[in-house]
Structures are given as C-alpha cells and as structure tokens.
Amino acid sequence: MSRERSTSQDPIHNGPWDVVVVGAGAAGLMTCLELPPELNVLLLNRNAGKRSSSRWAQGGIAAVTGPGDSQFLHGDDTLKAGAGLCDGDAVRLLVDQAPHCVERLLALGMAFDRNRDGSLATTLEAAHSQHRVLHVQDRTGRALVDVLRERVEARPGLVHRRGVRVTQLWVDNQRCCGVQILDGPWLHWVPARAVVLATGGGGHLYTNTTNPPQACGEGVVLSWQAGAAVDDLEFVQFHPTALKLADAPCFLISEAVRGEGAVLVDPSGRSPVAMLPQRDLAPRDQVSRALLRCMRDQGLSSLGLDLSPISAEQAERRFPTILERCREYGLHPLHNPIPVAPAAHYWMGGVATDLQAATTIPGLFAVGEVACTGVHGANRLASNSLMECLVFAGRLRNIALNDRSRPIISCKGPEPFPMSSPGPAAESLNRSINALRSACWDMAGVDRRVSGMQQTLRELLKDNDALQCSPLLEAMRNQDKDRCFQLEETCRSNINLLLDLHHRQQASRLLLEACLFRTESRGGHFRSDAPTPLPQWRCHSRQVKGALIHTRPVTD
C-alpha cells in the first residue's frame, strides 16, 4: 500500500501514475473508490483542511427507493425542472443507476435517516412530485464525504496530498498527459495516463453565495485553457433561501425545510410566492426571482422563512445544524422567521462530458459540479447533484487510459524559480477579486442586465490582457516538463493570488459571454430584455478556446 503524508516536504514523485484525481469532495472521493483497484492513483486536494461544497450540502440525495415512486417519475421531474435542455440519455442513466448507488452507499456505511419501521426516510424538495430525497438530518453532504474519505484512505495504491494546487493541464498531441502542480514550494509537472477533474463549481464568482471560496470555476478554466469544450455556462442556480444578516456569511437554509412545511413571508406575513403554482416548492429559479422582485418592490434586503408550521420536535430532529447556526447569530428560528435572500448555489454548466465522464480531450475526465453531463439542463432538480457525482464516478470503473508508451520524465534537481519579481500587492489583487464578484452579482445574477454585462465584459477583457503579461505567470506557463522550481514563500504566495484573480477573470468572462449569447430567458438564466423562453434556443451553448461560441443540439 502506497502512502504519503500530506505534510511531506518532498515534491510529489513523477509516478508512473495511472490516474490523477483533482478535488476531494464527493465526486473526487467516489471516483477514487470506483477506479479499478489495480491502478496507482494520486488524489490532489487544494485545501489543507476539509472544506468542500459537498460537505456543505444539507438537503439530501435523490433516488427512487419507495412504493408509489418510479424512475419514470424521477426522470420526468428532472426534465421539467431542466426547462427543455436536459439530455435524455444522461437523465435516464442517472435515474436508473440512482437506486444502485444508494445500495452502494449503504454497503459503504452511509447511515441515512430511517422511519420508525426501519425503512429509509425521505423528504420532499422543490419540483419533486414524490418524497424521494434521502438524508442524514441536515448534514447529508458532510456525512457522505466522511464515509467516502474513510474508505478512500484505505485504498491500496492511492496517495492523497493536501494543499496542492493544479496550475495547468499537460496536453500533448491533443491528449491529456498529466498536470502542473504547485506543491508547497515546488512547481513541477506530474505525468499520468488520465486526469479526472472533480474541482467543484463557480458560486464564489458572486458576492452572495452558499459556496466555499475554492468554488471559483478553476476546473472549468483549466479545461478551457487546455482546449476542452465547456457547455451551458449561462445557467447558474440561485438558491432562494440563504441566511441574510449584515454581519454573517451566507449560510444555506436547506430546501428540505420548506419541504417539511416552512413558508416564505414578507414583513406583513404575506407570501411572496403566492403567484407560483407550486408556491414555496416551485423550481428554485422561479422562487429566487419572486423573492428578488418582492425585495425590490418593498425596499428590503431579506425576507422571512417561517418555521412555525413545523413542530418544534420535528425541526430539532431534522435540522439541528441549521437551528444551531441561526442561534449562534442571536436568532430564534422556531419563534421568528429566519431572514433569507437568494444566493449563487450551483453551476449547471461546466466541462462538457459524455456518458463515460470523458471530456472532448482524450485522457481528461470530469465528475461532479465541474462537469456538464446534460442531466441538469437549464435548472438542476433539487438533490440530483450528489447523486450525479456518484453515478458518473461509477462510469470510471471502465476508464479509458492513455497507453504506457509515453516516456516517463526525469526531473532535474530543484532549481530557483526564474523570476524574483514580487508581482502586484496582495491587497490590490484581493480588491480586484471582490470588485469582480460584486460586478457578477449586480449584472449577471438572478436578473441579468445586458448593458451592464457588456460593460463588465469589456473591462474584464482589458484587465485580463494586462494580467496575462505578468512575468510570474509567464514563467509558470513556460516551465519545461523536466524542470522542478523551488519558490520562496513570497513568490509562491504571489503566484497563488495571481492565479486566483486570473482564473476568476477567465471564468467570469466565459460566464458573461454565455449570458450575452443566449438571447432568451430559461431556467437559471433570466434576462430582463428577453424575459421568456424561445423555441429556437432549445439547444446547449458551447465554448471552445479559439472558436466562436456556438450551440449543440439537445439529446432526447
């Protein structure tokens, strides 16, 4: 069994690695478990700790497990939520495999909540026609990641390194052959027969988000820079109910709370969603827009989520994490409505993949929120995302690896990084990041404004051109495959911040271009100048580096 401690001061060795997995949330961990057991796997985690969007997932995992429900109904709900842009073959794969994935999780030790008769407990979430969302109280994501991590750490032939950042994908002759990594003070290339991206989404491109800071679209940018196709980036899901307090970060108030009976109210106790056919459990894009309209009309920064229809005993049992977090901020959630407002939550778009989780570059795969599988269409059905991670990770049991004929590189001894320039000040870079996040929220958020997006894009392209010329980034981009650079701490820190801003600029640019390209409103994409869906836009958007943005047909 191969092991390396995450605190190792030596650079990661050059393998030979069969697969490099980038990201250690649910998608990355499940991928490690599903890859053939004889493969040597390197799992890279940018975080030194345990943060991931998967761990923050509260609601649950959608699957057909009880009487009265069926794969047909689950598929039909998914298609309706996706507003005409779900790929039928991907949806059928998801709903058919979902019950098997539940059995797999139970075998791994996942302790889902159960009814008194011992059957699996399920709840109702928005746009589901049946109670089919499995859960572990209100911490399903954390429970899932904890179970998977324990099993991954016991896998033979796997090395897990934390605090390692992938800075570039290695593409040679139109095949992905490995990654360039910033591993502590070391910058070097690591060859592999396949690379699997499981880096998460891009909610942190926005000021208001339920996502952690690393969810900034980095995997999408790395793939696009390498020449892979990215699809449907205009479709962002804004969760209607994130905790909204002046002195607190956004915190997700799970849709399951409304599924159990909680209702949205304005200060007068009226419903801001009364005009929607499914009211509080309408699709998330509809609820988010209704809340935003009500807040603007009444000059409010938040609305209320009233938990009084749920018994205190039931609320304490089902939502202990949410209640505890609210009480930490001095709220009394069982007596007074929780202040909530929409926040960026999930990116339906991502790196285009097929039913085998393969991208358009041989040797490069993507799983989880970083991928666009065709399952979610224009709007994700609640709790389908964790299941999507599991289903498409399972497709990698038959991963197609590059051949072994490529020479294994032999790195020269570590040498100083060729640039000693300090680069821009950290304070200036952080200001630029925050300004970009604010612009994305204001112009490309729940309600998108064309003139604002156009102006933001113009400024972004100018700023990005200037950053591209950074000597530090140029030296990093041009590193020979057989060289290993050792960076001083100041230089390493500056490269990290430059990459943060550069990748956010690139991801925001791709997002804005996709938003401007689609001249209609559909699902998670709403433009005030074109507020209705149009039949000619029943197609996916696609972006490839060096080519004009274009469309691809929906697979029925």
Side-chain angles (χ1 to χ4, degrees):
M1 182 180 298
S2 174
R3 283 288 177 276
E4 288 188 28
R5 299 178 63 84
S6 60
T7 55
S8 171
Q9 294 302 303
D10 296 324
I12 294 169
H13 67 78
N14 287 331
W17 297 105
D18 292 310
V19 183
V20 172
V21 178
V22 186
L29 294 171
M30 197 67 187
T31 293
C32 290
L33 290 181
E34 298 288 25
L35 286 168
E38 69 274 11
L39 299 183
N40 289 317
V41 178
L42 174 62
L43 173 61
L44 300 178
N45 185 354
R46 181 177 165 183
N47 299 312
K50 295 183 177 181
R51 288 181 303 173
S52 73
S53 293
S54 300
R55 282 185 64 84
W56 291 18
Q58 297 171 1
I61 300 175
V64 173
T65 58
D69 198 4
S70 69
Q71 279 92 335
F72 173 81
L73 291 174
H74 187 184
D76 191 52
D77 290 345
T78 300
L79 293 170
K80 287 177 180 174
L85 292 195
C86 299
D87 286 323
D89 51 358
V91 172
R92 287 188 291 273
L93 176 66
L94 178 94
V95 300
D96 288 346
Q97 290 300 310
H100 304 295
C101 288
V102 171
E103 292 174 6
R104 173 98 161 101
L105 290 181
L106 291 171
L108 290 172
M110 184 76 172
F112 287 113
D113 291 342
R114 292 184 178 270
N115 298 312
R116 291 181 179 175
D117 64 1
S119 61
L120 291 168
T122 56
T123 192
L124 185 69
E125 290 193 2
H128 284 273
S129 60
Q130 304 288 324
H131 286 67
R132 69 167 67 93
V133 179
L134 304 161
H135 48 79
V136 180
Q137 293 182 314
D138 58 351
R139 54 182 183 86
T140 308
R142 184 192 308 174
L144 174 63
V145 169
D146 288 346
V147 165
L148 297 181
R149 180 181 290 114
E150 182 179 347
R151 296 304 180 109
V152 164
E153 295 294 349
R155 177 192 160 118
L158 179 135
V159 171
H160 182 185
R161 287 286 286 263
R162 294 183 175 88
V164 178
R165 181 177 198 163
V166 171
T167 50
Q168 290 185 87
L169 296 177
W170 177 357
V171 177
D172 183 29
N173 290 328
Q174 299 182 319
R175 285 184 171 271
C176 187
C177 306
V179 293
Q180 183 192 48
I181 58 173
L182 188 57
D183 175 18
W186 315 102
L187 180 71
H188 63 110
W189 295 90
V190 175
R193 298 174 65 197
V195 173
V196 181
L197 294 176
T199 51
H204 214 265
L205 297 174
Y206 293 93
T207 299
N208 299 323
T209 180
T210 61
N211 291 182
Q214 71 268 23
C216 60
E218 191 156 81
V220 167
V221 171
L222 291 170
S223 301
W224 178 82
Q225 288 174 333
V230 295
D231 286 359
D232 292 349
L233 296 188
E234 64 269 38
F235 295 113
V236 179
Q237 187 172 86
F238 296 90
H239 200 289
T241 54
L243 178 66
K244 183 66 172 177
L245 292 172
D247 57 348
C250 288
F251 175 74
L252 178 68
I253 308 297
S254 169
E255 200 160 68
V257 178
R258 282 175 283 139
E260 295 291 336
V263 293
L264 292 156
V265 293
D266 70 6
S268 301
R270 294 188 298 265
S271 171
V273 293
M275 78 296 296
L276 301 177
Q278 294 169 279
R279 294 179 66 95
D280 295 272
L281 290 177
R284 290 175 177 177
D285 60 301
Q286 297 177 25
V287 176
S288 290
R289 286 196 296 276
L291 298 193
L292 196 66
R293 281 194 296 269
C294 181
M295 288 160 60
R296 285 177 177 167
D297 290 346
Q298 299 188 33
L300 303 170
S301 61
S302 66
L303 290 166
L305 183 64
D306 180 8
L307 273 63
S308 61
I310 309 174
S311 71
E313 179 187 1
Q314 183 185 7
E316 296 282 4
R317 184 179 71 253
R318 274 287 281 116
F319 308 114
T321 308
I322 292 172
L323 298 182
E324 180 184 4
R325 180 63 67 91
C326 289
R327 287 162 179 156
E328 286 174 1
Y329 290 108
L331 302 176
H332 303 282
L334 297 183
H335 302 288
N336 301 311
I338 302 170
V340 296
H345 182 57
Y346 190 89
W347 208 353
M348 277 74 75
V351 185
T353 58
D354 63 15
L355 296 184
Q356 305 306 318
T359 73
T360 56
I361 298 177
L364 179 64
F365 301 81
V367 178
E369 191 173 349
V370 69
C372 184
T373 63
V375 164
H376 304 305
N379 193 24
R380 175 182 69 111
L381 181 67
S383 290
N384 265 354
S385 51
L386 285 178
M387 182 54 73
E388 182 194 40
C389 292
L390 306 177
V391 169
F392 283 86
R395 307 302 283 176
L396 295 177
R397 285 192 288 266
N398 300 308
I399 189 170
L401 301 176
N402 291 329
D403 60 45
R404 297 180 184 272
S405 62
R406 298 181 180 275
I408 301 300
I409 61 172
S410 178
C411 267
K412 301 171 183 175
E415 54 189 294
F417 191 67
M419 278 302 312
S420 57
S421 166
E427 189 176 321
S428 171
L429 292 172
N430 282 318
R431 274 199 308 270
S432 296
I433 287 172
N434 289 332
L436 180 57
R437 294 179 67 205
S438 293
C440 282
W441 178 258
D442 292 339
M443 303 304 168
V446 178
D447 187 351
R448 292 163 172 175
R449 306 174 189 184
V450 173
S451 60
M453 289 193 293
Q454 289 171 335
Q455 178 62 27
T456 301
L457 181 58
R458 281 192 295 268
E459 294 171 0
L460 190 53
L461 290 171
K462 188 168 112 182
D463 293 343
N464 190 239
D465 286 344
L467 196 66
Q468 287 271 28
C469 300
S470 160
L472 287 174
L473 291 184
E474 281 201 357
M476 182 203 77
R477 279 194 297 265
N478 297 327
Q479 183 188 28
D480 291 335
K481 302 299 189 293
D482 62 348
R483 301 181 77 179
C484 177
F485 293 146
Q486 186 171 5
L487 284 66
E488 295 180 356
E489 176 56 27
T490 301
C491 184
R492 185 199 67 80
S493 178
N494 282 339
I495 282 185
N496 257 324
L497 266 176
L498 281 166
L499 283 171
D500 282 344
L501 177 56
H502 179 52
H503 288 160
R504 286 172 179 272
Q505 286 179 339
Q506 291 277 25
S508 299
R509 168 198 164 181
L510 292 168
L511 167 68
L512 288 165
E513 287 176 345
C515 292
L516 289 166
F517 177 67
R518 184 175 289 275
T519 54
E520 65 155 3
S521 291
R522 185 186 296 265
H525 169 67
F526 184 84
R527 282 176 50 155
S528 52
D529 67 314
T532 57
L534 300 173
Q536 64 267 34
W537 277 107
R538 188 178 175 260
C539 52
H540 300 282
S541 67
R542 171 159 289 190
Q543 291 158 282
V544 180
K545 188 177 182 181
L548 294 175
I549 186 169
H550 54 284
T551 64
R552 76 164 179 87
V554 173
T555 305
D556 289 322

